[in-house]
Amino acid sequence: MLKWIKNYLLYAKVDPVELAKVNDAVSENNKKSLGAYALMGVAFFTIMFIISAVSAVASLNSNVIAYSSAALLCAGIFVATRFVTKKSPKTVLFLMYLFNSVLLAFGLYIAFVTSPDRITVSLLVMQMLTPLIFTDRPYRAFICAAVLDLVFIHLAIQFKPADILVLDILDVVIYGFIGLVVGSYMSRMKFERFVLENKVAELNGDEELNHYIQAMADIYITVVQIDVKSGAFRAIINKTNMVEFDAHEDFGKQLRLAMKDAIDESCQDAILHYCDIPAVAESLKGRRTVTQEFFGKRLGWCRGRYVAVGPTSKGRVPEQIIFAIENINEQKNKENELITAAETDLMTGLYNRVGGVNKIKQALLANKPGMLCLFDIDNFKSVNDNYGHQVGDKVIIAVAEAMQTTFRDEDILLRLGGDEYVAFLNKVGSEEQGMLAIGRLFAEIERILIDEIPDYKISVSIGASFFRKDSNIDFDTLYKQADDCTYQSKKVEGKSFTFYREISRDFDSRLMNA
């Protein structure tokens, strides 16, 4: 077990001898990534600096220093990547960690300087993002994450309010760990790809080629060697009936016919272009490999890979290429599990702020009509103050369960944080439909009983705004409308809701009778 952990942390489960051979390729890949992401950082932070500098919103004005500093540091890293690394390639590693440090420092600044009273969001995003940017040894990433978590916990204890302290620390530690797991897995996949490319580049002669391809049998379910000019090929490995060939000529045509029968229709447009061997060979100029993922009807998710044999250069079309199919069903399942975990609120099982808001934005971009509801629990602070946070957590969970019972699977339900909730009800486009949905939620909440406070009746005040087909409003506008409506509902004693009326730009508040 200790040996496995050591091998994973030090070498990402890749042979250390092989790993040493691809250091230059990994460094060059990281250099390209660093240049691209640093330039993106300059653009993003500069735009946000300009917006925050001219904005009349105080919360944005307070971020001017953070945005300007981050933009300047990213610019410096970009310049150093373009010029310094040419003479001193070893500086790539230093610049990688400097760039990651800039992103994480920005997240910490937002968390403790400009928004200390709010749930940490920027840092969570940066924690999830940084392990994915570069190809790196897992132990380095784990050390950086451990240092960041210790710094965050120390600062959180001093500056974060007590009611969000534990949740904030748990979020940072858990989501940081999820980012590390995904990042380490992606690094391992990239290391294996570089090793494969290096192996193919070192091959000389058919005998050595065949020997190595046979050694790939544990990874790939189909391996085919193709002559680009003639289209002739030979299947070296074929463990499945997903791709069958009747002859050994015109590989592209036969692959196209086999794929039409073997893969899901949703993937066929992309994969059929991938069957054009001359076009694939042209795309391999200066590259070692190209890949395409697809869903097989019998095997599930697979990755097809073309690898150029022999030396590569920008102007050289390879004469021989290898086509290999790898089953990645397990990888896809793990990715989906991690994505689901990253989007889920740990306490309630609803979407969290990041996951839920992104889902709603996608629905709006897809022009799907619906009603956005925003609400919190009336007088919730008194529950925490009088009965403790454990009882308060039970109330929060009970309201979430009421939402899940009331609304449909196609609706998007999320917890913003604390006792704040959002629901986007698909295809609810009128006030009559909205009243029915809200009435069902009120009825479900009415049935909630909390053992520790049997006489307590949960009450919520809801604000709602409608997104109608072909509307040109975005999520922020829709959210503000619903938020303003929630404020109006709070003025009415008891279970109440308010609709935002787009035409008159006013509100309609109503009391819902028990």
Side-chain angles (χ1 to χ4, degrees), residues 138-152:
Y139 78 89
R140 294 172 180 158
F142 276 94
I143 291 173
C144 291
V147 171
L148 176 69
D149 287 344
L150 290 173
V151 171
F152 179 85

Side-chain angles (χ1 to χ4, degrees), residues 86-187:
K86 289 182 179 179
K87 296 181 179 179
S88 181
K90 292 184 178 180
T91 56
V92 171
L93 188 63
F94 167 76
L95 292 172
M96 279 168 48
Y97 284 99
L98 179 59
F99 181 70
N100 280 349
S101 298
V102 170
L103 297 183
L104 295 173
F106 173 79
L108 285 170
Y109 182 89
I110 298 297
F112 293 106
V113 178
T114 64
S115 305
D117 297 329
R118 300 179 186 175
I119 291 289
T120 300
V121 176
S122 297
L123 185 61
L124 294 181
V125 175
M126 297 308 177
Q127 270 194 305
M128 294 290 288
L129 177 66
T130 49
L132 303 176
I133 296 177
F134 305 109
T135 305
D136 197 14
R137 301 284 184 88
Y139 78 89
R140 294 172 180 158
F142 276 94
I143 291 173
C144 291
V147 171
L148 176 69
D149 287 344
L150 290 173
V151 171
F152 179 85
I153 292 170
H154 175 71
L155 294 175
I157 291 172
Q158 296 185 59
F159 298 108
K160 287 290 182 180
D163 58 337
I164 65 170
L165 175 62
V166 175
L167 179 62
D168 224 14
I169 291 175
L170 284 175
D171 279 348
V172 168
V173 172
I174 291 172
Y175 292 133
F177 181 75
I178 291 172
L180 283 174
V181 172
V182 177
S184 298
Y185 187 81
M186 296 301 294
S187 285

Side-chain angles (χ1 to χ4, degrees), residues 199-422:
K199 277 286 187 181
V200 173
E202 291 177 342
L203 298 177
N204 291 305
D206 286 345
E207 185 176 347
E208 189 175 354
L209 178 63
N210 289 342
H211 177 75
Y212 180 64
I213 289 177
Q214 291 293 345
M216 295 163 59
D218 290 338
I219 301 174
Y220 296 99
I221 55 180
T222 297
V223 178
V224 178
Q225 183 184 1
I226 311 158
D227 182 90
V228 173
K229 188 174 182 180
S230 67
F233 67 94
R234 53 178 177 154
I236 310 297
I237 300 168
N238 194 5
K239 299 178 183 177
T240 175
N241 293 326
M242 187 182 75
V243 180
E244 292 183 340
F245 305 103
D246 297 325
H248 292 288
E249 57 186 25
D250 200 346
F251 176 78
K253 179 181 178 181
Q254 294 201 51
L255 181 62
R256 189 178 294 108
L257 293 173
M259 287 297 193
K260 279 186 175 181
D261 177 63
I263 68 174
D264 190 80
E265 292 181 0
S266 62
C267 302
Q268 287 194 6
D269 287 343
I271 202 71
L272 292 182
H273 173 73
Y274 192 66
C275 297
D276 186 342
I277 301 305
V280 170
E282 190 71 23
S283 69
L284 282 168
K285 283 182 178 179
R287 301 169 65 183
R288 181 59 65 186
T289 184
V290 294
T291 62
Q292 176 69 46
E293 294 181 359
F294 59 89
F295 190 80
K297 294 177 181 177
R298 291 183 285 276
L299 289 176
W301 280 103
C302 297
R303 180 185 291 119
R305 182 187 301 276
Y306 283 106
V307 183
V309 178
T312 59
S313 61
K314 289 185 178 180
R316 179 186 176 91
V317 177
E319 297 177 0
Q320 298 279 328
I321 55 179
I322 291 172
F323 173 69
I325 296 177
E326 175 188 5
N327 186 272
I328 57 170
N329 227 22
E330 183 180 353
Q331 174 191 339
K332 280 290 184 181
N333 290 337
K334 287 182 179 178
E335 287 178 4
N336 290 333
E337 289 173 5
L338 290 167
I339 290 170
T340 300
E343 292 180 339
T344 302
D345 177 65
L346 298 177
M347 181 184 294
T348 64
L350 303 179
Y351 283 117
N352 59 23
R353 178 189 294 267
V354 175
V357 170
N358 284 340
K359 293 288 183 184
I360 296 174
K361 287 182 177 180
Q362 290 171 14
L364 302 187
L365 288 173
N367 203 23
K368 294 181 179 179
M371 179 176 73
L372 185 76
C373 298
L374 175 65
F375 64 93
D376 57 20
I377 301 170
D378 297 335
N379 302 314
F380 178 72
K381 187 176 184 297
S382 65
V383 176
N384 278 337
D385 292 344
N386 295 324
Y387 301 98
H389 287 279
Q390 286 186 337
V391 176
D393 289 349
K394 286 188 176 182
V395 174
I396 288 173
I397 293 169
V399 172
E401 290 174 346
M403 292 173 68
Q404 291 169 318
T405 301
T406 303
F407 300 129
R408 305 157 297 176
D409 291 341
E410 64 192 78
D411 298 325
I412 303 168
L413 313 178
L414 62 139
R415 177 182 173 226
L416 285 178
D419 63 318
E420 293 183 279
Y421 304 87
V422 171

